[in-house]
Amino acid sequence: MQAIADNHPIVLVSATGQYRGARPLVVQDTVNFQVKADGNWTVRVEPLRNGGQPAFSGTGDNVSLFFDPPPPGQWLIAGAGKMLLIQLHCVGGDVDVVDENSGPYLRTAMITFSRGPCFWEVQSDGTWSLKPQA
C-alpha cells in the first residue's frame, strides 16, 4: 500500500498474507492511496491523539499516542521477531533508535528526547517493548 501526496509515493506497507498494523503518515495536502491486494482490505485514517505514555509495547507495526518527553535515560528495548525498526518522532527532531534485521533483540540504550510532544513508530514482525529503566 502506498500513500501518494504531492505526486510522491510513500510505501506504508509491503506485506504478503494477512496484515494488521498502524503506520504514521504526516502530510499537508490531499492524499490518495494505492493498494495492490488479492483479497479484502480496509484502510482507516485517524489523527494521532494525545494522552500516551513513554513506555510502549505491542505486536507488529504500531504507532503510539503523543506523549510528553521524559528526561534522558536508559531504556530496555526488546523484540521477539527477526525485524525491529524503532523511530522516535518529536517536534524537536527524529531519532532512529533501532534498525535490526537479525533478531531477536534485547538491549539497553540511552535515549535523549528532544522537545515534545513525541510519538514512537515501530515496525516489527513480532512482539516488542520499550521500557524506561529506573
Side-chain angles (χ1 to χ4, degrees):
M1 180 175 80
Q2 294 183 19
I4 302 168
D6 296 327
N7 292 321
H8 293 94
I10 302 163
V11 176
L12 295 175
V13 176
S14 179
T16 302
Q18 290 187 338
Y19 173 84
R20 183 179 182 93
R23 301 281 294 124
L25 179 63
V26 180
V27 296
Q28 298 291 327
D29 296 319
T30 302
V31 176
N32 294 305
F33 294 97
Q34 181 181 45
V35 177
K36 294 181 183 176
D38 60 3
N40 295 332
W41 55 271
T42 302
V43 174
R44 188 172 67 216
V45 178
E46 299 175 342
L48 199 55
R49 292 187 286 275
N50 294 319
Q53 296 296 316
F56 189 46
S57 62
T59 301
D61 297 352
N62 209 342
V63 178
S64 75
L65 300 176
F66 281 119
F67 60 87
D68 291 327
Q74 290 289 326
W75 284 68
L76 179 62
I77 303 168
K82 291 191 183 298
M83 189 270 291
L84 182 62
L85 174 65
I86 300 174
Q87 295 176 306
L88 172 63
H89 301 284
C90 297
V91 169
D94 300 332
V95 175
D96 291 333
V97 178
V98 175
D99 188 352
E100 183 69 37
N101 286 304
S102 61
Y105 187 91
L106 180 62
R107 293 197 179 90
T108 58
M110 177 67 163
I111 299 178
T112 300
F113 296 78
S114 62
R115 183 173 49 92
C118 301
F119 71 92
W120 295 109
E121 174 185 358
V122 179
Q123 294 179 63
S124 178
D125 59 357
T127 59
W128 47 266
S129 63
L130 297 148
K131 297 178 183 175
Q133 300 298 284

